[in-house]
Amino acid sequence: GHVYNTLLIANDILNHQITFLVDKESELAFSAIKAKNYPVLMQKSENIIDDIKKIAPNIIINDRLDTNEAYIKELKNQDFKVINFEDLGKGCEYADSVINAIYPEKNALPNHYFGQEYFILRDEFILSEEKIVTSEVKNILITFGGVDPNNYTEKIIRTINQYCNEKNIAITIIAGFGYASYDSIKGYKNVIIKRNISNISDYMLQADLIFTSAGRTVYEVASIGTPAVVLAQNEREMTHFFASAEYGFSNLGLGYEVSNENIMIEFLSLVNSFEKRKHMSNLMKKQDLKLGRTRVHKLIQDLIQD
């Protein structure tokens, strides 16, 4: 998620030189960025700040979750301008700007911008048509992000596959580039498996119901308006305010704590209620998501030109 987010930011900054720096544990991120032909470096020094000093940037964009006070203060001591994404750590108080579309902030601070109106959508979602909900459920999409560490993909198939086979409902799985549990899902009948595709918006539009986790995907789903059931991968995802009934999602909480029986109950309630699914879709479509990328780009340009 962080990789895709920063790549979108980089794609929109046309008038400046960009270098990516990943920490020494982020080999997957390194490979994904390199594949897009951006200059990307892997951390070499014990302290990543030493790597940053060698690059000597004018502006640093941190997309690495919570930062600490010492890290951001040291960057500011070097006269770097600092923009942080999704930062709830102590360091966020010292950054020039903090942009946070996913996590709720407890304190309103100057130069902090948070809420779904600052989510950065990919082009395919900005350009996509919106879902028109129909009375019958014929297509299910299961997609749990780039890695799906808890293998919710298999958990959902195990729960709904027999019913879907009996009712002639198609199931499509879209697995991310880090998914490693293909062996666990090979034995299920009538399931289409797609790996790391580039046009997931098309599948979201075709689906009548989506199962997903509580990360960035919920914003992408909402931009299209397809009803969705959410299972959070971890405690941090539980704090993502947007994946809630208020915005049209059926959030079942931490997925590894939800029984297959409760998943099935919620699944059947949605399959059998056109009105419920239509209401969920309408709540999603009310959100102003397609202009978020423009807002974020303006905030970054304002700081560059300051």
Side-chain angles (χ1 to χ4, degrees):
H2 299 283
V3 170
Y4 289 133
N5 197 54
T6 47
L7 283 170
L8 286 171
I9 294 164
N11 287 343
D12 288 344
I13 299 173
L14 304 175
N15 51 343
H16 299 276
Q17 183 183 339
I18 291 166
T19 302
F20 282 85
L21 172 65
V22 303
D23 65 45
K24 51 194 169 191
E25 260 121 62
S26 299
E27 288 182 24
L28 203 58
F30 182 90
S31 301
I33 295 163
K34 194 173 183 182
K36 298 295 183 183
N37 297 316
Y38 277 104
V40 56
L41 303 172
M42 178 82 76
Q43 176 186 354
K44 289 183 178 176
S45 306
E46 185 62 33
N47 187 339
I48 201 166
I49 287 176
D50 294 327
D51 296 84
I52 294 171
K53 287 177 183 175
K54 286 174 189 169
I55 298 168
N58 300 106
I59 291 191
I60 296 161
I61 297 177
N62 290 298
D63 196 334
R64 48 175 300 186
L65 296 180
D66 298 350
T67 62
N68 60 52
E69 183 177 333
Y71 170 71
I72 302 297
K73 277 187 169 179
E74 179 58 25
L75 296 181
K76 292 304 298 171
N77 286 341
Q78 302 296 318
D79 288 330
F80 300 141
K81 291 179 181 177
V82 179
I83 301 172
N84 293 358
F85 278 83
E86 292 170 33
D87 185 4
L88 299 180
K90 286 283 185 185
C92 77
E93 296 175 25
Y94 304 93
D96 294 284
S97 187
V98 176
I99 300 167
N100 188 350
I102 293 180
Y103 303 103
E105 293 203 357
K106 292 172 186 171
N107 305 309
L109 295 169
N111 302 321
H112 281 225
Y113 306 90
F114 57 97
Q116 62 268 28
E117 59 265 40
Y118 295 100
F119 185 77
I120 301 172
L121 277 174
R122 287 181 276 162
D123 288 340
E124 62 174 302
F125 294 99
I126 293 171
L127 300 172
S128 175
E129 296 173 33
E130 289 187 341
K131 178 70 181 177
I132 298 170
V133 178
T134 55
S135 58
E136 200 176 345
V137 171
K138 295 178 180 176
N139 293 291
I140 306 294
L141 175 63
I142 300 172
T143 182
F144 282 101
V147 180
D148 189 13
N150 298 298
N151 200 12
Y152 293 161
T153 300
E154 195 277 332
K155 184 182 179 86
I156 297 301
I157 302 170
R158 188 175 357 124
T159 304
I160 70 170
N161 192 50
Q162 184 179 339
Y163 177 89
C164 289
N165 282 337
E166 290 169 0
K167 301 293 183 182
N168 203 27
I169 298 172
I171 298 176
T172 301
I173 293 167
I174 294 179
F177 62 86
Y179 184 66
S181 301
Y182 287 104
D183 286 350
S184 71
I185 60 176
K186 281 196 304 194
Y188 291 98
K189 293 180 180 177
N190 304 321
V191 174
I192 299 163
I193 301 170
K194 302 282 183 179
R195 303 186 184 205
N196 195 26
I197 58 156
S198 58
N199 61 330
I200 194 171
S201 58
D202 292 340
Y203 292 88
M204 289 180 177
L205 189 63
Q206 290 161 15
D208 298 300
L209 186 63
I210 297 171
F211 284 90
T212 191
S213 49
R216 285 178 166 78
T217 309
V218 294
Y219 294 85
E220 295 171 346
V221 170
S223 72
I224 288 173
T226 303
V229 178
V230 172
L231 282 77
Q233 293 278 6
N234 50 52
E235 293 284 352
R236 190 178 180 102
E237 277 197 1
M238 289 289 287
T239 68
H240 292 194
F241 65 90
F242 192 70
S244 66
E246 181 183 355
Y247 300 109
F249 294 91
S250 169
N251 192 329
L252 300 183
L254 276 170
Y256 51 80
E257 291 183 351
V258 183
S259 69
N260 291 23
E261 182 186 3
N262 284 341
I263 291 170
M264 193 65 187
I265 289 168
E266 183 60 16
F267 172 63
L268 291 176
S269 79
L270 292 173
V271 167
N272 295 320
S273 177
F274 170 50
E275 289 304 318
K276 200 170 180 180
R277 284 183 284 110
K278 198 161 65 171
H279 177 62
M280 291 168 77
S281 180
N282 288 339
L283 288 173
M284 291 178 182
K285 290 173 188 173
K286 281 182 184 176
Q287 305 311 309
D288 176 18
L289 295 171
K290 295 196 175 182
L291 290 175
R293 189 161 156 188
T294 303
R295 289 189 192 98
V296 170
H297 180 64
K298 185 177 185 309
L299 291 172
I300 293 170
Q301 288 296 333
D302 287 349
L303 193 61
I304 288 172
Q305 291 158 17
D306 187 11

